[in-house]
């Protein structure tokens, strides 16, 4: 390579938008020389640096677009503490074939058993594997749709919620919804039907969705679509939070408060 070409190399890499490669060019060329790489090997090393950087940026961006409320991972999930779950089933779900197929995943169980933890962890796996994800609570979702409808922007909102490949709806059923909300939820589920994948966490079993939605007919129509291609994780047992507190002695197992003045 002529001296002129070598000196304009960073500029050319910039124009090609290979900025990670441009910024680390000297280090990478030194490494290629030190390892005595031939030309294709050296080119491979340079491209790998750019690819790795882009992949990292894509994941960062995907995580930020997904709006997870906090970080939870599958590695951080204590399966030993949760005997009602089959670790193999969860690991299979982490491969995200259900997301690729546009299936629904229902995660149900009482409060504190790790439903949201698994929802975030599986959502992060989906982002890592290149799927677009959006996390929202059922309440925030319905409030947003109601507001959009009042402002005459419902279509626009439904289109936005139809976009992500995986929509995670957390805490469905904690609070009963207004009858009108059921119709909005139905509109959303219909819009996403056989396009996007949904993950819904709930403390209610599907037989109680009619009560949550205040409308048995609409609940049946929603479930008909959601359950058409679906997987269910049912978690049983005690709240993990309370169990941790019990273990640390903050709560007694049959937690009656100690009488005032009692010595420990
Ligand atoms: P839920 O959504 O079912 O009410 P969460 O997922 O919010 O429960 O769990 C409550 C807290 O306990 C979270 O901080 C979560 O990370 C933690 N947790 C629950 N189950 C487990 C588990 N099996 N291993 C590790 N942490 C857990
Ligand atoms: Mg939760």
């Amino acid at each position: 390579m002529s001296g002129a070409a070598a000196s304009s190399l960073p500029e050319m890499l910039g124009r090609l938008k290979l900025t990670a490669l441009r910024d680390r060019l000297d280090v990478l060329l030194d490494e290629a020389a030190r390892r005595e790489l031939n030309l294709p090997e050296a080119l491979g090393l340079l491209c790998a640096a750019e690819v790795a950087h882009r992949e990292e940026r894509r994941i960062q961006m995907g995580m930020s677009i997904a709006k997870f409320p906090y970080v939870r991972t599958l590695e951080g999930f204590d399966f030993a503490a949760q005997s009602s779950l089959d670790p193999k089933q969860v690991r299979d779900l982490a491969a995200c074939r259900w997301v690729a197929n546009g299936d629904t995943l229902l995660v149900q169980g009482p409060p504190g058993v790790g439903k949201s933890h698994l929802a975030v962890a599986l959502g992060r796996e989906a982002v890592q594997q290149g799927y677009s994800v959006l996390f929202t609570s059922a309440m925030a979702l319905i409030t947003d749709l109601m507001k959009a409808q009042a402002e005459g922007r419902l279509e626009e909102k439904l289109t936005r919620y139809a976009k992500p490949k995986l929509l995670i709806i957390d805490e469905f059923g904690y609070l009963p919804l207004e009858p009108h909300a059921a119709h909005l939820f139905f509109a959303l589920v219909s819009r996403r039907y056989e396009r996007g994948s949904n993950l819904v966490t709930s403390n209610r079993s599907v037989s109680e969705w009619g009560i949550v939605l205040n409308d048995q007919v609409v609940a049946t129509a929603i479930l008909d679509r959601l359950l058409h291609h679906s997987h269910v994780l049912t978690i049983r047992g005690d709240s993990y939070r309370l169990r941790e507190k019990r273990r640390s002695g903050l709560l007694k197992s049959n937690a009656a408060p100690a009488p005032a003045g009692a010595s420990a």
Side-chain angles (χ1 to χ4, degrees):
M1 187 160 38
S2 75
S7 61
S8 64
L9 188 51
E11 197 235 306
M12 288 192 286
L13 290 172
R15 282 172 65 178
L16 291 169
K17 305 216 167 8
L18 301 170
T19 49
L21 176 49
R22 179 197 61 196
D23 296 346
R24 294 186 53 215
L25 191 60
D26 290 345
V27 177
L28 290 165
L29 288 177
D30 281 352
E31 182 181 338
R34 200 179 57 247
R35 287 166 54 189
E36 297 179 359
L37 300 184
N38 63 28
L39 210 45
E41 287 168 342
L43 202 50
L45 178 80
L46 300 182
C47 290
E50 182 70 34
V51 167
H53 175 77
R54 290 204 185 176
E55 184 67 358
E56 201 180 303
R57 221 178 35 186
R58 179 190 67 72
I59 291 173
Q60 261 175 18
M61 187 91 84
M63 294 294 180
S64 119
I65 289 170
K67 301 208 163 49
F68 295 117
Y70 36 67
V71 176
R72 289 291 184 283
T73 61
L74 284 184
E75 297 75 52
F77 194 80
D78 180 1
F79 283 96
Q82 197 44 263
S83 56
S84 63
L85 273 181
D86 174 7
K88 186 180 168 302
Q89 189 191 2
V90 179
R91 271 196 291 275
D92 271 358
L93 290 167
C96 293
R97 277 183 300 276
W98 61 283
V99 179
N101 295 340
D103 298 352
T104 293
L105 172 61
L106 281 182
V107 183
Q108 54 188 32
V113 291
K115 300 184 296 298
S116 301
H117 185 135
L118 286 178
V120 171
L122 289 172
R124 290 176 61 89
E125 294 291 331
V127 169
Q128 258 147 18
Q129 289 172 42
Y131 298 106
S132 55
V133 177
L134 179 65
F135 185 106
T136 175
S137 73
M139 221 12 116
L141 172 68
I142 294 295
T143 307
D144 200 25
L145 290 177
M146 288 178 78
K147 184 164 166 276
Q149 190 175 44
E151 292 167 357
R153 292 187 301 107
L154 182 61
E155 265 310 302
E156 191 189 307
K157 254 301 139 94
L158 286 172
T159 305
R160 195 176 97 71
Y161 280 114
K163 276 215 177 95
K165 182 63 182 166
L166 171 61
L167 179 67
I168 303 179
I169 304 171
D170 195 30
E171 301 192 336
F172 179 83
Y174 276 71
L175 298 168
L177 303 170
E178 301 168 37
H180 188 55
H183 288 95
L184 291 174
F185 194 54
F186 174 74
L188 172 75
V189 168
S190 304
R191 189 66 68 95
R192 292 186 55 78
Y193 182 59
E194 292 197 328
R195 265 181 243 157
S197 184
N198 305 292
L199 190 166
V200 183
T201 79
S202 184
N203 59 331
R204 304 289 198 113
S205 69
V206 291
S207 61
E208 296 173 300
W209 280 36
I211 303 169
V212 175
L213 291 161
N214 266 314
D215 190 322
Q216 193 56 55
V217 175
V218 177
T220 307
I222 291 171
L223 285 169
D224 180 58
R225 282 158 180 75
L226 281 183
L227 301 182
H228 187 197
H229 306 283
S230 66
H231 311 258
V232 180
L233 285 179
T234 302
I235 320 182
R236 296 189 187 79
D238 288 347
S239 157
Y240 188 83
R241 278 182 287 240
L242 296 186
R243 192 169 9 178
E244 288 297 292
K245 287 219 170 65
R246 250 174 232 132
R247 197 168 295 159
S248 67
L250 250 156
L251 269 180
K252 297 273 182 299
S253 344
N254 46 5
S263 58

